[in-house]
Amino acid sequence: MSSGKMTAIERRAVISLSSIMGLRMIGLFMVLPVFALYAQRLPGATPLKMGLAMGIYGLFQALFQIPFGALSDRFGRKPVILLGLLIFAIGSFIAGIAHSMFFLIIGRALQGAGAVGSTILAMMADLTREESRTKSMAIAGMSIGFSFSLAMLLGPLLTKWLAVNQLFLLAVLFSLCAISVLYFSVPTPVSVRWHRDAEPELKSFFKLLVFPELAKLNGGIFILHAIFTASFVVIPINLYHFAGLPANKQWLLYLPTLLAAFIISLFCVGMAERKQQLKPYFVSGIIALAIAEIALWLTPGNRLLTALGLSLFFFGFSLLEAFLPSLISRTAPADRKGTALGIYSCSQFLGIFAGGVLGGWLYGQFGFTGVYLFCTLAALFWLILALLMQPPRFLVTHMLRLPAHRWDTIAAKLQLIPGVVEIVFVAEDSTAYLKLERGAAQHPDFIRLKEQLQSNN
């Protein structure tokens, strides 16, 4: 069997689980572009409560994702994913029928409490071999990115036919569809175990939290999502009051700007990878974000310049959102990638919460200027962090299963292969975690060694 080719069961598992993540993502984010216009009309609405309602799901997502993962290790993946999807559906229903800010905040909190993203990735790890793991996680990441872009377009478009509160009820339907996929399409794992490359390890959590290069990246994803959420406290209101676009027509602006941003960011990601010049493109994404905030701030009544600002905003966000998980994987120690990605996810969700609350408060105190100025300064601060960041090495991770008694012999052979940068052996997993330069996995000695280990296993 070719080590790089997925089996039929692996393909089915990855596609099905990615679909579940996508359905949940669409249900969660399609309301975001029109949320502020809807929330400000509810009884008891204030800018601060509006921002809290927008961002509170991030806080609960950060709080519950690791406990859900631990529960799934003990009680099984499917029951825990089912529980999370049901909590998400209940939260969506409460938000959909809410007639006050209090119940909207409760509903959004429950949407976040159904934090099964890490559990879905753990189940994907259960159902795929180590040699297919990188590809399966990449597919999951692409499905998340595509679902997010689709959600940002669907929300404003669907408001031509549906009221905003009905978008929450549509999210209930998406959650039920995800449950049906879970039980009728996703294979049941033969065994459930903890995966070092996909799940966090609490004992190394603090050590990686203060790891300097990872801290810069985690600070970056926190700032990115704080900027994004704070911006969407005011962007829909801005488009309504100054550009003359009601909620059901804002898709006319989102569609071309999202498409342009998606195409350009995809091209830039490809160029960065081919030229191995990731840092200049990464920095350009932050600069685009800062310019976008200034353009949206200073030209609210000009549709053309607003469209340009939105294009730059979505371009910068898409580019940085694509680069950051890859940078985390390349920077983290080979045997602690799951923990590093867990901290990254927590930082992302806490950024959503902070952006919502700060954006709402700033809008209430200082209007549009306060929010856009905050976002601009946050982007410039991040730019300084990024300029201090070490250019990343273009490394790939690899895992080898081998018995403990052969470790010394295998390690000696691996160290002789050009391009092998880091080797960590974890005895309790009987697994070697490697970081390799590109091309090292195709070196004849490496291929020969892998074939020997596979034949012995």
Side-chain angles (χ1 to χ4, degrees):
M1 183 187 297
S2 172
S3 61
K5 188 176 180 181
M6 286 187 178
T7 65
I9 290 179
E10 285 177 331
R11 284 195 299 273
R12 178 180 155 197
V14 170
I15 292 170
S16 301
L17 290 168
S18 296
S19 299
I20 292 171
M21 294 182 79
L23 286 166
R24 185 175 175 275
M25 180 71 69
I26 293 170
L28 188 59
F29 280 101
M30 65 182 172
V31 75
L32 186 62
V34 291
F35 185 89
L37 288 172
Y38 168 69
Q40 69 178 357
R41 299 190 184 103
L42 288 177
T46 64
L48 178 58
K49 289 179 182 177
M50 186 175 70
L52 178 62
M54 185 176 286
I56 196 169
Y57 84 87
L59 175 63
F60 278 76
Q61 188 98 346
L63 290 175
F64 282 91
Q65 64 164 338
I66 292 177
F68 265 88
L71 284 173
S72 73
D73 288 336
R74 182 172 180 182
F75 297 109
R77 309 294 190 206
K78 282 192 176 182
V80 171
I81 294 173
L82 171 64
L83 175 63
L85 291 173
L86 287 174
I87 292 172
F88 177 79
I90 293 168
S92 300
F93 181 76
I94 291 172
I97 63 170
H99 293 294
S100 69
M101 284 301 300
F102 174 78
F103 283 104
L104 181 61
I105 291 168
I106 294 295
R108 290 285 286 173
L110 286 172
Q111 280 188 314
V116 291
S118 60
T119 307
I120 292 172
L121 291 178
M123 189 173 190
M124 196 176 287
D126 289 331
L127 292 165
T128 54
R129 296 160 297 147
E130 282 88 351
E131 52 265 39
S132 301
R133 192 75 43 76
T134 300
K135 187 183 294 184
S136 66
M137 295 300 172
I139 292 170
M142 285 189 291
S143 75
I144 291 171
F146 175 76
S147 300
F148 175 80
S149 299
L150 182 61
M152 293 295 292
L153 177 61
L154 269 181
L157 183 59
L158 288 174
T159 53
K160 290 176 67 178
W161 303 283
L162 301 175
V164 175
N165 70 302
Q166 291 174 323
L167 295 179
F168 287 112
L169 300 178
L170 188 58
V172 177
L173 179 61
F174 287 164
S175 185
L176 297 177
C177 289
I179 291 170
S180 68
V181 172
L182 177 67
Y183 279 93
F184 293 106
S185 184
V186 178
T188 300
V190 175
S191 62
V192 171
R193 65 184 185 87
W194 179 75
H195 300 272
R196 194 175 294 271
D197 61 322
E199 297 180 77
E201 181 186 39
L202 291 178
K203 67 180 182 182
S204 59
F205 204 86
F206 180 76
K207 182 180 178 181
L208 292 189
L209 187 65
V210 297
F211 190 84
E213 288 303 309
L214 287 176
K216 291 173 191 171
L217 296 172
N218 292 325
I221 194 62
F222 177 92
I223 293 170
L224 178 63
H225 280 266
I227 289 172
F228 185 86
T229 312
S231 296
F232 269 94
V233 170
V234 293
I235 285 174
I237 302 171
N238 195 332
L239 295 179
Y240 178 73
H241 286 293
F242 295 105
L245 290 172
N248 62 357
K249 289 188 178 179
Q250 290 187 4
W251 70 272
L252 294 168
L253 201 55
Y254 288 128
L255 176 59
T257 54
L258 276 166
L259 284 176
F262 179 77
I263 293 167
I264 297 170
S265 61
L266 200 63
F267 172 78
C268 289
V269 168
M271 289 293 290
E273 292 289 339
R274 281 195 296 274
K275 293 185 175 183
Q276 297 195 7
Q277 291 289 323
L278 193 149
K279 185 174 178 178
Y281 287 91
F282 185 82
V283 168
S284 71
I286 301 174
I287 294 171
L289 211 58
I291 294 172
E293 294 293 340
I294 294 170
L296 291 168
W297 175 17
L298 298 179
T299 60
N302 188 311
R303 285 194 187 185
L304 181 61
L305 292 177
T306 298
L308 179 61
L310 275 176
S311 296
L312 281 171
F313 179 82
F314 287 128
F315 162 70
F317 180 81
S318 301
L319 191 65
L320 296 164
E321 188 80 357
F323 281 145
L324 279 163
S326 172
L327 286 169
I328 290 284
S329 295
R330 290 169 179 168
T331 306
D335 61 329
R336 294 290 184 270
K337 189 170 74 170
T339 305
L341 288 171
I343 296 170
Y344 167 85
S345 294
C346 284
S347 303
Q348 174 183 358
F349 296 128
L350 289 174
I352 290 169
F353 174 66
V357 173
L358 270 174
W361 181 78
L362 287 167
Y363 176 54
Q365 296 294 316
F366 307 104
F368 294 103
T369 296
V371 179
Y372 286 129
L373 181 59
F374 160 73
C375 293
T376 303
L377 292 175
L380 293 175
F381 174 74
W382 187 14
L383 180 61
I384 295 170
L385 285 182
L387 290 171
L388 296 173
M389 184 178 74
Q390 294 295 322
R393 297 183 67 180
F394 281 73
L395 305 176
V396 295
T397 56
H398 208 91
M399 288 183 287
L400 294 175
R401 290 275 180 187
L402 67 159
H405 68 274
R406 296 190 59 195
W407 164 237
D408 291 338
T409 305
I410 300 299
K413 292 180 179 179
L414 285 169
Q415 287 168 351
L416 296 174
I417 298 173
V420 176
V421 175
E422 182 182 346
I423 310 169
V424 179
F425 180 66
V426 180
E428 59 265 32
D429 294 345
S430 298
T431 302
Y433 295 84
L434 315 176
K435 279 195 173 184
L436 315 172
E437 291 180 354
R438 288 186 174 181
Q442 279 70 52
H443 193 280
D445 291 344
F446 189 81
I447 293 172
R448 195 177 304 116
L449 184 60
K450 273 192 68 176
E451 289 174 346
Q452 289 174 1
L453 289 172
Q454 287 173 350
S455 62
N456 291 335
N457 291 337

